[in-house]
């Protein structure tokens, strides 16, 4: 059992920055790869990026590459999504998720999901 809780969303002007946090808990957290996703109204959920606890570099969707950065703090079981140069099209509910392989995370086939945090970027 893994529990994921996102925080850090809010309202920001275009060009601004936000940092989202995902606090993970549970006995098997270290087994999982972490992902960030987002879903805008009327749109399908979109993969944003992924990172592992045990090494390897983060990977990102093309739409956010160069603007967003995923990091982690293993001691705190927390992953972060630093979002810079935000655009109105980044407006969405952002979700943290976890699954056992990188490929299933990228595909959105995650066993565990957080409840989401709203990010709104104004123009």
């Amino acid at each position: 059992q893994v529990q994921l809780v996102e925080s850090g969303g809010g309202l920001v002007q275009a060009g601004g920055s936000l940092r989202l946090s995902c606090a993970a808990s549970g006995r098997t957290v270290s087994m999982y790869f972490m992902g960030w996703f987002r879903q805008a109204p009327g749109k399908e959920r979109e993969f944003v990026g992924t990172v592992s606890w045990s090494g390897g570099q983060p990977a990102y969707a093309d739409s956010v590459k160069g603007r967003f950065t995923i990091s982690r703090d293993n001691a705190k079981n927390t992953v972060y999504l630093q979002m810079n140069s935000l655009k109105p099209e980044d407006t969405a509910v952002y979700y943290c998720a976890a699954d056992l392989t990188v490929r299933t995370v990228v595909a959105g086939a995650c066993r565990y999901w957080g409840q989401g945090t709203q990010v709104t970027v104004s123009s």
Side-chain angles (χ1 to χ4, degrees):
Q1 186 90 329
V2 173
Q3 294 81 42
L4 305 172
V5 180
E6 304 96 333
S7 62
L11 176 65
V12 64
Q13 295 181 74
S17 298
L18 281 175
R19 188 184 70 168
L20 307 184
S21 299
C22 174
S25 61
R27 288 171 285 180
T28 59
V29 165
S30 63
M31 298 176 59
Y32 288 85
F33 295 84
M34 308 300 296
W36 284 101
F37 297 81
R38 64 187 184 183
Q39 188 166 24
K43 296 187 67 178
E44 191 72 20
R45 186 168 56 211
E46 177 188 14
F47 169 77
V48 173
T50 184
V51 72
S52 71
W53 300 105
S54 59
Q57 294 181 265
Y60 305 94
D62 288 342
S63 59
V64 306
K65 196 172 298 180
R67 299 188 297 123
F68 291 11
T69 303
I70 298 174
S71 60
R72 54 182 162 85
D73 186 334
N74 288 32
K76 296 181 178 180
N77 285 339
T78 300
V79 297
Y80 304 94
L81 181 66
Q82 178 67 46
M83 305 185 294
N84 299 326
S85 301
L86 282 162
K87 306 173 181 179
E89 52 262 45
D90 295 319
T91 295
V93 177
Y94 282 71
Y95 297 92
C96 181
D99 205 63
L100 288 170
T101 70
V102 170
R103 54 189 170 272
T104 50
V105 169
V106 172
C110 297
R111 299 169 188 259
Y112 301 102
W113 294 85
Q115 293 181 340
T117 185
Q118 176 71 48
V119 172
T120 302
V121 184
S122 62
S123 60

